[in-house]
Amino acid sequence: MSTAAILQPSKTNVPRIFRKESRYEFVKLTRTRSFSLATIGFPVMFYIIFGLANRHAFDGNVHMAKYMLAGYACFGLIGAALFGIGVGLSSDLAAGWLELKRASPMPVSAYLFAKCSSAVAFGIIIVSILTIIGTSFGDVHLSPAELAKMLGITIVGSISFASMGLLIALLVPANAAPGIINLIYLPMSFLSGLWVPIKFMPHWLQGIAPLLPTYHLSQLMLGIFHYGDTMSLITHWNALIGFTLVMLGISRIIFHRKEQNA
């Protein structure tokens, strides 16, 4: 039997490899307190401070605590995806860990799948905690259908912004990745109305929001509660899908150039 055949995993082992790699990646992130506590803690803390403070506030038919639940849910899941993929993958590249993985029988796709699935898992955890807080202490009422749609948007949003995290990891050195992500993530979150409703911002800032992928994700989440803007949901879906494809396309080009120059 050739060496290549020995190193090539059998088809029956591939699902097991994907499952184990995802499990170990999730456990690693959970045990990395600087990631898990901050990623979960910040959106929860902000929602407790600002969301619960508006549990009795209404703007017309809009319940502000419910509105902010959607905003901070997006804020949390985006952070989990960007930091989990962007910082994690960048650190692995700098340490040569990805090269070691590629030399093993494990498919590279299993590594990327594990990163993405862990980001999705953290996104679901964050949204679930925020939902429990909102329904328990913020007078927020959610139907089972609304909760299911929120979790669905969480999965889609996590995958979409994982593509952005991938691009950042390929472009930015490991020691600069956290700072660069914050410089991108925090302004985008604010300008997209994830912290403060868009209508309360100056008009010139309101015009920037539709240019940002974070805005389109938040409108899809707000659309579950019928709190979205006047644009159609198809427009928001197309914008988010287009953003994801662009991020993946650029990442693919950069990755192949790195391969050729290696």
Side-chain angles (χ1 to χ4, degrees), residues 82 115 136 138 150 166 173 202 241:
L82 290 181
K115 291 284 187 186
S136 300
M150 283 187 70
L166 174 62
I241 292 170

Side-chain angles (χ1 to χ4, degrees), residues 62-81:
V62 176
H63 184 197
M64 296 309 298
K66 194 172 185 178
Y67 185 102
M68 290 186 175
L69 172 61
Y72 284 111
C74 293
F75 176 67
L77 72 89
I78 292 169

Side-chain angles (χ1 to χ4, degrees), residues 27-247:
V27 170
K28 183 190 79 172
L29 291 178
T30 303
R31 291 178 177 176
T32 306
R33 303 301 182 189
S34 59
F35 172 81
S36 58
L37 293 181
T39 302
I40 296 174
F42 276 114
V44 170
M45 178 184 67
F46 288 148
Y47 185 65
I48 290 174
I49 294 173
F50 300 109
L52 298 188
N54 289 280
R55 62 185 179 276
H56 301 307
F58 285 83
D59 181 25
N61 295 323
V62 176
H63 184 197
M64 296 309 298
K66 194 172 185 178
Y67 185 102
M68 290 186 175
L69 172 61
Y72 284 111
C74 293
F75 176 67
L77 72 89
I78 292 169
L82 290 181
F83 284 98
I85 306 290
V87 176
L89 179 55
S90 182
S91 299
D92 288 352
L93 287 169
W97 184 242
L98 184 57
E99 292 299 320
L100 178 62
K101 292 274 191 179
R102 293 180 64 191
S104 73
M106 185 194 74
V108 177
S109 55
Y111 173 83
L112 296 175
F113 178 83
K115 291 284 187 186
C116 189
S117 62
S118 295
V120 170
F122 269 91
I124 290 174
I125 290 171
I126 292 166
V127 173
S128 298
I129 293 174
L130 291 174
T131 300
I132 292 171
I133 293 172
T135 54
S136 300
F137 307 105
D139 293 334
V140 173
H141 301 286
L142 294 177
S143 68
E146 288 176 330
L147 179 58
K149 289 178 181 178
M150 283 187 70
L151 295 177
I153 295 296
T154 299
I155 294 171
V156 172
S158 297
I159 294 172
S160 179
F161 281 89
S163 67
M164 185 178 186
L166 174 62
L167 179 59
I168 292 173
L170 293 173
L171 290 175
V172 178
N175 59 349
I180 296 297
I181 289 174
N182 275 321
L183 285 175
I184 297 172
Y185 166 53
L186 297 180
M188 283 176 64
S189 298
F190 172 74
L191 292 172
S192 299
L194 303 189
W195 300 348
V196 179
I198 291 287
K199 64 183 296 183
F200 298 141
M201 294 183 182
H203 287 291
W204 66 275
L205 283 179
Q206 293 181 28
I208 298 175
L211 304 176
L212 304 174
T214 41
Y215 173 78
H216 296 286
L217 177 63
S218 69
Q219 292 303 313
L220 290 173
M221 191 72 82
L222 288 168
I224 298 171
F225 311 140
H226 305 290
Y227 291 168
D229 60 11
T230 56
M231 295 173 65
S232 69
L233 291 179
I234 296 297
T235 301
H236 296 306
W237 277 113
N238 287 339
L240 195 62
I241 292 170
F243 162 76
T244 305
L245 294 177
V246 168
M247 293 294 104

